[in-house]
Amino acid sequence: MPAILEVDNLVKKFGEFEAVKGVSFQVEEGEVFGLLGPNGAGKTTTISMLTGILAPTAGTARIGGYDVRTQMAQAKTLNGLVPQDLALYPTLSARANLEFFGRVYGLKGRDLKERVADVLRVVSLTERADQAIETFSGGMKRRVNIAAGLVHQPRLLFLDEPTVGVDPQSRNHIFESVLRLNRERGMSIIYTSHYMEEVELLCSRAAIIDEGRIIALDTIKNLIAMLGGGVIHVGVERADPTTRDAIAALPMVKEAVLLAPSVAAPPAPGAEADLHERAPLATGSVIKIVTEHSQQAVVSVIGYLNTHDIMLTSLEILEPNLESVFLHLTGKKLRD
Amino acid sequence: MNVLHIAVKDLGILFRDRGVFIQLLGLPLIFILVFSGAMQAAVGGQQDTRMPLPVVDQDRGPGARALREGIESAGGVRIDLIDQAVADEALDKGTMARALYIPANFSDDVAAGRQATLHLVSRPDADIPRTEALRLVIEGVARDMALEGQIVTSLRQMGEMMANVPDAFAALAVEQGPAQAREQFELSRNRPLVSLVTRVPQRAVTVEEEATAAQLAVPGFTVLFVFLTSQATARSIYDEKKVGSFRRLLASPISKVELLVGKMLPNVVASLIQVVVIFGFGVLVLPLLGQAPLSLGNAPLAVVLVAVLMALCSSGLGMLIAALARTENQIGGLSGVILWAMGILGGSFIPVFFLERFLGPVMRLVPHYWANSAFTDLLVRGASLADVVPQMVALLVFTAAFFTVGLWRFDFD
């Protein structure tokens, strides 16, 4: 598949602050691509550069072959943006909002009316089309917000946190709409979220972004496979590098990392933390163990601790998902 | 084309907001009604429609008093007594169109049948028919006074002659009496009592002091509220940024200039609607309410051009406010206070020709002054399009400055 979007070492600085620190990725035609990261990671800034809202400080990107630095006018005709905010005019009706955004993209007459009717069907709001947006529920407003990004039939749609503040029913409706657009119309979609379940559900590939950098980029399956059979956090009374190495050598254990001790528990003498990540549950030292099979690894780890008379203080099994991948990569939770 | 789409959308939003209607049209009409009504009440409940005639009475004698009373009783003219220094300065500055000077010893001269010259000083740029009408009234009254004086003098002289001559010459004296009277009347014709003097102007335009309350209130408050409309532009841009639609528009195929011009255009339209409604109210509705109607002057095209320039200037100011304001309060509160202050400074509450005497050139720093000055010249003084070119250029300069600085300081991020 050809790439609809090629991002090459994109940088954005606001004064001294570097919000995006050289991100690179590609999105294929017809792909739903996820940008996963916590708030403030640089997702919206990246999208703003790709849609012409912000000029990149360095690097470039091509949309449908058009360079966003030199051919943004052409690139804009291929893009659709659904911003994080409800970018609508509350006192106007849903139809008036959609017609306005359609006109801005050059649609007019019958074509405009048909396109508006079509996107109203896509978001299931035909019945309420002539009511003012201010009378809509939060979920309905979100759906009109999406429709406004679709009215000109973009080849590449940027959905920036489209489910923030949405009730579960409307969220499901948005998911269905996104999948239908991709399946039935072949629309390429970049979906940013800090909800890992959404990215797992909707996207075939994703980039995990943190502090302005892409720290992982792969298919969802491969990203989750980074954690093998899952991750367990084992809290012990005391731990040192020798214990860590011994656990790493146990069956079904891929990797063992000594986490920085929690505030309440000073590190064991001679023990040095492998990561700055704080132990999430422990009162003493915590060893993070990446397993090939979490339940079998738990059995062998507990056996080792008993044999060596090391007291177990806590045990947490993290299912393999994007949340635990992010935690594994950054030492932070996505919603921190 | 995108400019029009944005403008039409914004007008749709604007006209759905009842609060905007109150600010655009309700408040100015209420201000005009109260202000012009109060002004009218202050001068006695009924508008004094007589032509004012400032008079410098250097004589203060019975002859001068008789002349003043004669002029006023002739009807249509109101005498305003003023000091010579005030009159001289006002005529020089062009803040007064004309004045009548009654010389010292006027009463004695008239009583003695000697020539006494009245000076009706009129600036050449004063309204000629008005000056001519006043001249005729003054000449008529003065001629009557002169005739009366000549008759009295002739009769007195005849009496003196008859009393002093011997009886043998009485018949000769009776023959000389009518000849003496004829000589006096001839003298009166050849040496007229009133002469008209014209001064060289130092300013191009003269204030017509007989402006009605409507002519002062309607343009002043129109200017004030048209510039207050600039808040609507600023608020519209702020709201668009706040809800995020500004980002969406920036991501669409619209240039930044198109976007800003599109945001400014509704303000221009709204301002022009304001002018039409408020001026229409002044022309058509005020007379129905017992107040003097608004006169649109002699150059309607100039009135339209000034209104358009003022609307553009207000929109440019709105963009500047949007560029500089960082919070909603700065747009709604702070800028409101500044706009009202500019209105006061610029002559929206007190006519520019009065305020200028107190504030001088400071007034010229605000665009309101130039708009008020142009409307005063056009509506009150009956100026032509050419007369208000300086004010129009000033408004254009303000517009360009507001737009340029606004664009430079605008935060598109």
Side-chain angles (χ1 to χ4, degrees), chain A residues 44 48 51-54 76-77 81-83 85-89 91-92 100-101 103-105 145 148-149, chain B residues 2 5-6 9-10 12-13 16 240-254 256 263 412-413:
Chain A
T44 299
S48 297
T51 52
I53 296 168
L54 293 175
K76 278 180 173 180
T77 61
L81 171 67
V82 178
D85 301 312
L86 288 167
L88 301 167
Y89 305 103
T91 55
L92 300 184
F100 168 67
F101 287 114
R103 283 192 195 98
V104 163
Y105 280 89
N145 201 36
Chain B
N2 277 329
H5 295 325
I6 294 170
K9 179 265 297 175
D10 275 2
I13 293 172
R16 277 178 170 80
E240 192 111 44
K241 281 181 148 186
K242 190 174 157 191
V243 301
S245 49
F246 201 78
R247 277 172 57 79
R248 178 169 250 157
L249 289 174
L250 282 174
S252 68
I254 295 180
K256 288 174 179 175
K263 296 299 295 179
F412 286 98
D413 295 349

Side-chain angles (χ1 to χ4, degrees), chain A residues 15-56:
Chain A
E16 290 301 304
F17 175 67
E18 201 172 13
V20 176
K21 301 169 181 169
V23 301
S24 301
F25 60 92
Q26 287 193 352
V27 177
E28 291 173 3
E29 192 94 52
E31 182 179 19
V32 181
F33 183 86
L35 263 182
L36 181 67
N39 290 328
K43 304 185 297 290
T44 299
T45 306
T46 302
I47 283 187
S48 297
M49 286 189 281
L50 297 176
T51 52
I53 296 168
L54 293 175

Side-chain angles (χ1 to χ4, degrees), chain A residues 162-181:
Chain A
T163 58
V164 170
V166 170
D167 61 273
Q169 192 186 352
S170 291
R171 182 176 291 198
N172 288 336
H173 202 285
I174 289 169
F175 295 161
E176 284 169 23
S177 301
V178 169
L179 291 171
R180 207 180 321 143
L181 285 167

Side-chain angles (χ1 to χ4, degrees), chain A residues 139-157:
Chain A
M140 288 162 70
K141 286 175 186 170
R142 280 276 162 206
R143 279 145 64 186
V144 182
N145 201 36
I146 291 174
L150 299 173
V151 72
H152 62 289
Q153 289 186 296
R155 277 172 62 193
L156 176 62
L157 181 67

Side-chain angles (χ1 to χ4, degrees), chain A residues 187-207:
Chain A
M187 193 178 285
S188 309
I189 295 168
I190 294 186
Y191 191 100
T192 82
S193 180
H194 63 276
Y195 297 120
M196 57 94 188
E197 316 88 41
E198 294 181 4
V199 174
E200 276 183 38
L201 177 73
L202 299 172
C203 304
S204 50
R205 288 194 310 139

